[in-house]
Amino acid sequence: MTIQDEMTQLIDKWVASFSRGDIETCVRLYSEDGAIYSPYGPAAIGRQAIRRTHEDWLAAGETNK
């Protein structure tokens, strides 16, 4: 399996999990010190911040991540 295949599987798993509203699976796909950087909000660094960001996205009805 290539790194591209692995990345595609990871992204597909994240998209499927987010679509189901499964925040915990989404968060587990990030490392403990993972980060989300967005031009639309503050950086989310670490799993707790990543969890809050996903909760905010879902609460806002976000579907286009």
Side-chain angles (χ1 to χ4, degrees), residues 2-62:
T2 68
I3 188 72
Q4 183 177 1
D5 293 335
E6 290 179 33
M7 291 301 298
T8 297
Q9 285 182 350
L10 177 71
I11 292 166
D12 288 347
K13 186 171 184 175
W14 184 91
V15 168
S17 299
F18 189 81
S19 295
R20 288 191 310 272
D22 182 355
I23 293 171
E24 292 308 312
T25 298
C26 289
V27 171
R28 282 194 306 269
L29 295 172
Y30 292 87
S31 64
E32 288 290 332
D33 61 349
I36 298 173
Y37 295 96
S38 170
Y40 305 107
I45 302 171
R47 283 191 175 155
Q48 288 296 90
I50 290 170
R51 179 177 289 103
R52 284 190 303 274
T53 296
H54 281 75
E55 289 168 349
D56 290 347
W57 288 342
L58 289 173
E62 181 61 60

